[in-house]
Amino acid sequence: MLGVNLRPVVGRFWAPVVRALVKLGVTADAVTLTGTIGAVASAVFLIGNGELFWGAFAVTVFVLLDMLDGALARARGGGSVFGAVLDSTGDRAADAAIFGGLVWWFSGAGDNRLLVLLALLCLVLGVLTSYVKARAEGMGLSADVGVVERTERLILVLVGTGFTGLGIPYAVHVALWVLLAGSAVTVGQRVAAVYRGSQGMRLPSAAASDETSGRPAS
């Protein structure tokens, strides 16, 4: 929910940059790719090597490009279907890299199996949060609810990681526990929203046969 409220603020912040990029002919897809590659590289090579503060800082900078690409697409006359898919794919890759970096560090030199477990559970629940919404929208339903969406997820994990890098004890522990609980609630909220919205609906015969046969519907 924070993402909706923050977008106007971030949009005003990025406005001069957007105008400059439009003049230079930079595309929204190029910004998306830059942000994704930068966030993934920062998570892997900084967070994954124990540079928790600078890793969290660098990832935050690149994640902010996620809001810049949308503003740039609108300024250039509107986004494309491919751009929307690319943006969502980049989001998932960045999220996976952040939690993967934490898992890598704390399963090695960081030596904390509890944090490895928490990071893995948060990663799985984050994927489920996004998947339930995407699957629901593919069925013509809405599941745009939840106490912890991507903005909240990133704030929690990056703030906790950054504070731990500054030497604040248990910051990432608290962040991951809060994120775990909030993500579990969010998945439940989205499944409940789909349940309520799907009452009286039936799958088309082809999709229903895929479901009962155990094969994934396309």
Side-chain angles (χ1 to χ4, degrees):
M1 294 301 175
L2 280 176
V4 175
N5 297 322
L6 286 176
R7 282 189 181 276
V9 177
V10 176
R12 288 192 293 272
F13 172 80
W14 280 124
V17 179
V18 169
R19 288 193 292 270
L21 292 177
V22 169
K23 291 180 180 178
L24 291 171
V26 177
T27 66
D29 290 350
V31 172
T32 299
L33 285 172
T34 301
T36 299
I37 293 170
V40 169
S42 299
V44 170
F45 295 110
L46 292 176
I47 293 176
N49 283 302
E51 297 291 340
L52 300 184
F53 173 76
W54 289 112
F57 177 82
V59 171
T60 300
V61 171
F62 284 110
V63 163
L64 286 174
L65 292 178
D66 183 50
M67 294 186 177
L68 173 60
D69 61 4
L72 182 58
R74 289 188 292 273
R76 292 175 61 89
S80 65
V81 172
F82 173 76
V85 173
L86 180 66
D87 183 55
S88 295
T89 303
D91 289 349
R92 304 292 81 75
D95 291 355
I98 294 166
F99 289 103
L102 289 172
V103 168
W104 182 264
W105 173 248
F106 287 112
S107 64
D111 191 23
N112 193 314
R113 295 182 67 187
L114 174 60
L115 289 180
V116 171
L117 176 61
L118 290 175
L120 285 172
L121 290 174
C122 287
L123 174 58
V124 171
L125 286 170
V127 171
L128 286 175
T129 298
S130 300
Y131 178 79
V132 172
K133 179 180 178 181
R135 184 66 169 149
E137 290 176 346
M139 293 290 184
L141 299 170
S142 175
D144 194 16
V145 296
V147 294
V148 175
E149 296 183 303
R150 186 169 188 256
T151 300
E152 292 86 355
R153 186 161 62 246
L154 289 173
I155 289 173
L156 282 168
V157 69
L158 292 175
V159 168
T161 300
F163 281 175
T164 296
L166 290 174
I168 299 176
Y170 301 109
V172 75
H173 296 70
V174 172
L176 291 180
W177 275 116
V178 172
L179 179 54
L180 176 63
S183 296
V185 170
T186 299
V187 171
Q189 288 177 303
R190 292 192 170 184
V191 170
V194 173
Y195 177 78
R196 290 191 299 269
S198 65
Q199 295 304 293
M201 297 177 64
R202 290 292 181 268
L203 287 172
S205 57
S209 63
D210 283 343
E211 186 179 73
T212 55
S213 67
R215 292 188 292 114
S218 58

